[in-house]
Amino acid sequence: MTVQQAGTGASSDRAMHWNDVDWARCYREIRRLQARIVKATQDGKYGKVKALQWLLTHSFSGKALAVRRVTENQGRRTPGVDGLTWSTPRSRLQAVKSLKRRGYRPLPLRRIYIPKADGKRLRPLGIPCMVDRAQQALHLLALEPVAETMADPNSYGFRATRSTADAIEQCFISLASSNRAQWILEADIRSCFDEISHDWLVAHIPTDKAILRKWLKAGYLHNSVFHSTEAGTPQGGIISPTLMNMTLDGLERTLLAKFCRGGRNPSKVNVVRYADDFVITGATREVLEDEVMPLVVQFLAQRGLSLSREKTRITHINDGFDFLGMNVRKYDGKLLIKPAKTSVQRFMRKLRDVVKGNATLRHDRLIRLLNPKIRGWADYYRHVVAKRTFNKVAHAIWQCLWRWAKRRHPQKNSHWVRRKYFRTVGARQWVFGTATDKVLSNGKRELLTLYDIVGTPIRRHRKIKGAANPFDPQWESYFEERLGFAMMDSLKGRMRLIRLWLDQQRSCPVCRQMITKSSGWRLYHLERKIDGGKDTISNLTMLHPDCHRAARALGLSVVKPASAMGL
């Protein structure tokens, strides 16, 4: 499949308009530099790493991709202390040209507070200005290949291609068998983002030291009052999660160097870390308390960090522990991982608040408001023992919606309310749904129903290999296979879309990057429906959401190969 632009497109380094940037070329150039950075890091040639990072951060491709990231993510409309957002193509191209090292001085962050998971405490967030976000995104392009190459094998948080499901699966591997560890150290770092030593970061993070020091010392504004920052990296900065990960990398290697000798690990010490949350297994309580804990405390102290005494505890696997919203526990010798009770309660509290807060909302709009929340929560827990929990949650949701429907019609009896708001779909009864205005090919109106959480299939997650590096060309086919499986799973039962995705070689024809479940996609009509185009596979192509927005402005014409047209 090839893509042509209306008119003559400028080359990526001489773009005269934001929509003239050759994104496929930009991605290709950056990927090549990142692969060279990985090779140099593996060979221990840190001078070459520094030179390659310099090339990347001074390239047009790197700057363009950095600006694209900060202007097409969810926070693109949230300004920093200067109140600016790059919302027009002209301002974005101008931003690319303005990303220079010489004379760069970051502005203070705008401090806001958001509720933590418990709903009682507040978490501080720092919002950088657009230019600072772009500079961080640019330097992250050069730092991330190093971070991935040097990362601990069982670190899963804020890393490309890794997820909480990988961390939970590693917990299962480390604890399931009868000969595995029985004791767990649940560690919690006190104010991790806020207390990382600036001196340690500047000395050990392989990036531009001068730029890094400026970010760390930028300070923040709260209620128009400036506050200096003497420690920590702000939550909310694009590069902050990677800096935090690199600060904690080495913990697993430090522990295994002491307890794992000759391929044997008699103390059964294993580490599973997701960002700043981690658990450490051990054969006995004494091993964790007398040997592991002092090593962890010493490791963290070198970085200006410490454990929270209130939240750090040692538990037996038969008593279980909560990790990443899951409860991990053995029942009569069998390890079961279930949704944590606190997570279920928090989810139901949010759903009830949505329903109660929309007492007068139209039937179909409430369904569209609830479905993404229910589907997202179910997808998060679909890899663990969650079927019974899904049934309980489904019943609680039905009770909530029944009360909502009854309150709307206090003068009507239950039979009338049921006929108006609930349907029978196949073998399922009491389905919350309504007919929409869309007419199907059989002449009937489309039925919009609440997402069936009970019908969510439970499938075991395939854990990522610990040594897998998405920036190393040697692992490219492995990641393509994993992303392909995830995409096929998300399109299961939708054969038309699967065929379309495979016909275009699983990639977006605009940027030439792979279309995956995480990247998202939108259907693009080659001939617009208003001009007579139809919903046939020959008139459709799949694009990334950002590429779809740009496609109309570019005036794309897509030429499919014979294989894609079924010839």
Side-chain angles (χ1 to χ4, degrees):
M1 180 177 291
T2 60
V3 178
Q4 298 173 342
Q5 296 182 13
T8 57
S11 63
S12 62
D13 56 343
R14 300 185 185 87
M16 301 301 294
H17 192 277
W18 179 252
N19 291 329
D20 289 335
V21 176
D22 186 347
W23 294 112
R25 176 180 169 182
C26 289
Y27 279 111
R28 188 167 57 249
E29 290 178 351
I30 295 305
R31 289 289 294 177
R32 185 169 62 248
L33 281 172
Q34 289 175 329
R36 293 177 65 190
I37 290 173
V38 169
K39 184 66 168 63
T41 304
Q42 292 170 340
D43 296 340
K45 300 178 180 178
Y46 297 106
K48 186 175 182 179
V49 169
K50 187 176 180 180
L52 291 169
Q53 288 180 324
W54 182 275
L55 280 176
L56 192 154
T57 56
H58 287 72
S59 67
F60 176 90
S61 296
K63 294 176 181 179
L65 290 178
V67 171
R68 189 182 196 194
R69 173 173 179 175
V70 302
T71 56
E72 294 180 351
N73 60 15
Q74 291 184 346
R76 62 185 179 274
R77 295 188 182 93
T78 305
V81 295
D82 60 357
L84 298 178
T85 58
W86 299 331
S87 56
T88 64
R90 182 176 181 180
S91 63
R92 293 175 185 180
L93 187 62
Q94 188 60 39
V96 173
K97 298 175 181 178
S98 67
L99 288 184
K100 298 179 180 179
R101 184 179 187 274
R102 178 174 294 181
Y104 169 64
R105 186 174 181 179
L107 293 172
L109 287 77
R110 181 163 69 91
R111 172 65 63 91
I112 63 172
Y113 292 88
I114 61 172
K116 288 190 175 183
D118 56 16
K120 299 177 182 178
R121 295 173 298 165
L122 295 176
R123 183 188 306 278
L125 281 185
I127 302 177
C129 298
M130 293 297 293
V131 64
D132 297 331
R133 287 180 231 175
Q135 286 281 9
Q136 289 188 20
L138 175 60
H139 285 79
L140 182 59
L141 288 172
L143 178 61
E144 214 168 8
V146 183
E148 284 292 325
T149 306
M150 301 174 65
D152 286 341
N154 290 306
S155 164
Y156 299 98
F158 299 122
R159 292 181 61 187
T161 69
R162 300 195 177 211
S163 66
T164 53
D166 293 307
I168 293 300
E169 185 64 22
Q170 182 59 32
C171 287
F172 184 87
I173 293 170
S174 303
L175 296 166
S177 300
S178 58
N179 61 346
R180 296 291 185 177
Q182 299 295 305
W183 292 89
I184 300 95
L185 169 64
E186 301 175 67
D188 184 89
I189 301 175
R190 184 168 63 89
S191 303
C192 181
F193 277 91
D194 298 330
E195 296 191 6
I196 300 175
S197 167
H198 284 182
D199 292 337
W200 192 94
L201 286 171
V202 172
H204 293 87
I205 300 299
T207 189
D208 191 313
K209 308 294 184 183
I211 297 291
L212 177 60
R213 190 178 288 107
K214 288 179 180 180
W215 287 334
L216 297 175
K217 299 297 183 182
Y220 65 90
L221 285 176
H222 181 57
N223 293 331
S224 301
V225 178
F226 176 79
H227 301 266
S228 61
T229 47
E230 302 302 326
T233 176
Q235 296 187 60
I238 289 177
I239 205 170
S240 294
T242 301
L243 295 180
M244 182 273 299
N245 261 337
M246 297 189 75
T247 301
L248 298 179
D249 281 334
L251 175 62
E252 183 177 355
R253 291 190 293 270
T254 299
L255 291 172
L256 293 183
K258 176 177 175 60
F259 294 101
C260 187
R261 299 182 183 277
R264 298 179 67 252
N265 188 357
S267 298
K268 301 176 183 178
V269 173
N270 295 287
V271 183
V272 182
R273 180 168 68 84
Y274 189 91
D276 57 339
D277 294 328
F278 60 93
V279 295
I280 303 175
T281 66
T284 64
R285 185 184 187 96
E286 290 71 28
V287 166
L288 294 175
E289 204 166 48
D290 302 332
E291 299 183 57
V292 172
M293 186 85 80
L295 271 179
V296 173
V297 170
Q298 180 184 1
F299 178 89
L300 295 177
Q302 294 171 355
R303 293 152 175 78
L305 301 172
S306 60
L307 291 174
S308 169
R309 292 186 178 182
E310 297 79 15
K311 298 181 181 179
T312 299
R313 61 180 68 90
I314 298 175
T315 56
H316 194 273
I317 190 60
N318 290 338
D319 297 324
F321 64 97
D322 289 351
F323 184 54
L324 302 177
M326 314 284 182
N327 180 259
V328 184
R329 181 181 175 184
K330 274 190 176 179
Y331 299 83
D332 296 326
K334 183 176 182 179
L335 185 73
L336 296 181
I337 303 178
K338 305 177 181 180
K341 289 183 180 179
T342 54
S343 299
V344 176
Q345 292 168 355
R346 186 164 55 247
F347 173 66
M348 284 309 306
R349 188 162 52 246
K350 289 181 180 178
L351 277 191
R352 290 189 183 105
D353 289 343
V354 171
V355 174
K356 289 180 181 178
N358 292 279
T360 61
L361 197 65
R362 232 171 57 185
H363 193 180
D364 58 331
R365 292 184 179 177
L366 181 63
I367 294 175
R368 289 191 173 96
L369 195 62
L370 293 176
N371 274 353
K373 302 179 188 298
I374 300 173
R375 183 183 289 108
W377 192 84
D379 282 347
Y380 184 79
Y381 289 103
R382 68 191 179 100
H383 301 298
V384 299
V385 185
K387 184 60 74 174
R388 184 175 296 180
T389 302
F390 286 169
N391 276 283
K392 292 180 179 178
V393 168
H395 181 66
I397 293 173
W398 175 86
Q399 288 179 316
C400 181
L401 292 173
W402 177 251
R403 288 192 295 268
W404 175 86
K406 289 282 287 182
R407 281 196 299 267
R408 287 166 69 93
H409 306 282
Q411 306 301 322
K412 300 293 185 179
N413 60 39
S414 297
H415 294 291
W416 186 94
V417 173
R418 177 179 178 175
R419 286 196 303 271
K420 180 172 179 62
Y421 291 103
F422 295 89
R423 302 286 187 272
T424 297
V425 181
R428 296 168 56 210
Q429 297 182 351
W430 288 92
V431 178
F432 191 67
T434 183
T436 66
D437 295 332
K438 184 178 180 180
V439 180
L440 301 177
S441 56
N442 58 8
K444 296 182 179 180
R445 290 198 297 169
E446 181 187 40
L447 182 64
L448 177 65
T449 62
L450 194 72
Y451 177 75
D452 179 24
I453 190 172
V454 177
T456 303
I458 305 296
R459 292 195 184 94
R460 185 154 180 187
H461 177 70
R462 295 200 315 162
K463 193 186 84 70
I464 192 171
K465 294 181 179 179
N469 185 342
F471 299 99
D472 190 341
Q474 296 181 5
W475 290 95
E476 188 170 356
S477 59
Y478 171 77
F479 281 107
E480 286 181 350
E481 181 184 9
R482 281 184 64 85
L483 293 171
F485 277 128
M487 186 67 174
M488 293 287 281
D489 184 52
S490 69
L491 296 177
K492 190 172 183 179
R494 305 164 77 178
M495 295 306 299
R496 187 161 166 262
L497 291 179
I498 292 176
R499 178 188 166 191
L500 182 62
W501 181 64
L502 293 175
D503 281 347
Q504 55 189 69
Q505 288 80 49
R506 307 189 294 181
S507 63
C508 171
V510 175
C511 64
R512 309 287 183 177
Q513 299 302 296
M514 192 171 180
I515 295 176
T516 66
K517 179 183 176 182
S518 59
S519 73
W521 50 270
R522 287 186 63 184
L523 290 177
Y524 176 81
H525 289 80
L526 305 181
E527 183 181 3
R528 299 173 65 181
K529 296 187 73 172
I530 197 173
D531 298 327
K534 298 182 179 180
D535 290 330
T536 59
I537 197 167
S538 60
N539 191 47
L540 293 171
T541 187
M542 296 175 76
L543 305 179
H544 289 130
D546 298 330
C547 296
H548 186 277
R549 281 194 291 268
R552 294 301 176 193
L554 286 169
L556 292 179
S557 62
V558 181
V559 182
K560 295 187 178 182
S563 61
M565 296 185 290
L567 299 178

